[in-house]
Amino acid sequence: MTMHAEPYVQIPQHAAARPLALLQPLGRALYHARILVLIAACHLAAGIGISIWAETPFASTTTGILLTALKLLFPTFLLMLFLMRFVWMACTVRPAQPTKWFINDIRTIIFDPDRLAFGAVTFGCVAVMFGTFSYLKEMIPVLNYFAWDTTFALWDRTLHGGVDPWRILQPLTGTPLITFVLNVFYNVWFLLLYFVAFYACFDINNRARSLTFLIAFALCWIVGGNLLATVLSSVGPAFYADFGYGDLFAPQMAMLRDFSDIYPVWALSTQAALLDGFQNDGALRGISAMPSMHVTIAVVIALYAFTIRRWLGWIMAAYAAMIMIGSVHLAWHYAIDGYLGAAIAVAAWWVARTLTRRFSV
């Protein structure tokens, strides 16, 4: 999992006197990432167009929360990358002068103009995509009010032999400790998606691999998290009763509240904050169940991991399975939300790989 600069990369000398030399890496980055740039631009245009049509400000409180989290996590990500390089040096390279090698390696990575340009362009696209995604997610009830929950609950039960999937999981997950562990993994997902996107943006050792992931990543959020989430608008089991669909999942919610008296179940407080955001214009907004973006992104990260190391891919596949189980057990999703999410991830990966092979390398 190396991050060495490509052979042709050289750090420009006397850069201040050669402004055109500074533009060359940016031009190369824009050329290689042009499909991702186009996708982000079209997504942004769609968001602005909807805001004009709906006469609502093109803004989202969630975007501010995401950016704040990124600022706090950025130093941690750098530290993790440096640690990865150190482990690579110690286990694989084993240089005669490790301190000198490590310092030179980090210096090369940090001051590599092509890496910085590619990272700036791709990370900028991801940031724009997330901003647009957040706005459009909050617009779901305006564009198509939640109407699919009773149908999805019925389909879920029918598909699983007449039993709600959360009940099927009870022998495996129905304890306070297991619930706590699943909730931990579910929350770690937020850190993981940030870090993997950050890594892919600044990894030019295998540009095709990075772009395949980033394009698939963007398509998952746009197609799954915006388009299909709007067409198939639903709130999920946690909010089933709050939106007047009945008490079908009341036993599940009561179970989670009982478990929270023994171990923390953070999903409950997050669900309460989302409901407050919907009802009282609170800070955290964007209720949406179908498809499960937790499962979608976990699966696309697993596919990316397989292209790096097979063992890493299997670890991330196991993680995706835990996210699937947690999404149902913690009442965030119907099981079919996860099934569709996984299918979206696989389809997005295939499309991204095809686009990258044809246009970006």
Side-chain angles (χ1 to χ4, degrees):
M1 188 161 35
T2 59
M3 293 181 69
H4 292 302
E6 295 180 359
Y8 68 83
V9 175
Q10 294 183 347
I11 301 174
Q13 298 179 352
H14 309 296
R18 300 167 57 194
L20 290 179
L22 297 177
L23 295 178
Q24 291 174 357
L26 180 61
R28 287 194 291 267
L30 287 169
Y31 174 78
H32 286 297
R34 61 192 183 277
I35 298 300
L36 182 63
V37 172
L38 179 62
I39 290 172
C42 291
H43 189 219
L44 176 63
I48 294 174
I50 289 175
S51 73
I52 294 173
W53 172 80
E55 298 181 344
T56 60
F58 184 67
S60 167
T61 57
T62 306
T63 302
I65 296 172
L66 293 174
L67 291 176
T68 300
L70 178 61
K71 291 177 183 177
L72 295 174
L73 292 171
F74 189 80
T76 303
F77 291 164
L78 287 178
L79 181 62
M80 291 176 65
L81 288 174
F82 292 163
L83 180 61
M84 290 166 61
R85 293 302 298 169
F86 182 83
V87 172
W88 170 263
M89 176 195 71
C91 298
T92 305
V93 181
R94 299 179 181 178
Q97 297 178 296
T99 301
K100 182 178 180 180
W101 186 96
F102 186 71
I103 292 174
N104 288 336
D105 181 65
I106 295 301
R107 184 185 294 122
T108 300
I109 291 174
I110 292 177
F111 295 105
D112 179 353
D114 280 274
R115 188 184 306 281
L116 294 177
F118 185 77
V121 169
T122 54
F123 200 80
C125 289
V126 170
V128 169
M129 183 274 297
F130 266 130
T132 307
F133 163 79
S134 299
Y135 166 75
L136 291 175
K137 184 176 182 180
E138 293 179 14
M139 287 293 292
I140 288 176
V142 176
L143 300 174
N144 185 26
Y145 196 79
F146 310 113
W148 281 89
D149 282 270
T150 54
T151 300
F152 289 156
L154 176 60
W155 288 357
D156 224 25
R157 197 179 314 114
T158 302
L159 186 62
H160 296 87
V163 181
D164 291 319
W166 74 270
R167 295 185 184 276
I168 297 175
L169 290 173
Q170 282 306 92
L172 175 67
T173 62
T175 68
L177 179 58
I178 296 299
T179 300
F180 171 74
V181 171
L182 286 172
N183 207 157
V184 169
F185 277 97
Y186 210 77
N187 285 6
V188 165
W189 176 89
F190 290 97
L191 303 178
L192 183 65
L193 78 88
Y194 267 128
F195 178 74
V196 175
F198 179 82
Y199 177 85
C201 286
F202 288 92
D203 178 18
I204 63 171
N205 183 62
N206 190 326
R207 203 190 308 265
R209 180 179 68 195
S210 298
L211 281 169
T212 297
F213 169 74
L214 291 169
I215 292 171
F217 186 73
L219 290 175
C220 285
W221 289 107
I222 295 168
V223 176
N226 284 153
L227 179 60
L228 291 180
T230 301
V231 173
L232 304 173
S233 60
S234 57
V235 298
F239 306 106
Y240 201 85
D242 297 301
F243 282 78
Y245 298 122
D247 60 357
L248 178 63
F249 297 98
Q252 181 181 11
M253 300 309 296
M255 175 195 67
L256 293 175
R257 285 190 289 269
D258 289 342
F259 288 171
S260 69
D261 293 334
I262 303 172
Y263 286 101
V265 181
W266 299 299
L268 294 175
S269 58
T270 305
Q271 290 160 1
L274 282 168
L275 186 61
D276 178 69
F278 179 84
Q279 295 176 336
N280 305 310
D281 203 27
L284 189 61
R285 306 174 201 167
I287 293 175
S288 177
M290 174 68 84
S292 169
M293 292 309 298
H294 265 74
V295 173
T296 304
I297 298 304
V299 171
V300 86
I301 288 176
L303 293 170
Y304 179 47
F306 272 113
T307 67
I308 299 173
R309 293 287 187 275
R310 181 171 292 275
W311 61 265
L312 183 61
W314 284 116
I315 290 175
M316 295 314 304
Y319 178 78
M322 292 192 70
I323 291 297
M324 176 68 206
I325 293 170
S327 71
V328 174
H329 179 66
L330 296 171
W332 283 112
H333 293 284
Y334 310 106
I336 56 175
D337 296 351
Y339 301 158
L340 179 59
I344 291 169
V346 173
W349 185 264
W350 181 84
V351 171
R353 187 173 57 184
T354 302
L355 290 173
T356 300
R357 287 174 175 174
R358 184 168 182 179
F359 297 108
S360 296
V361 294

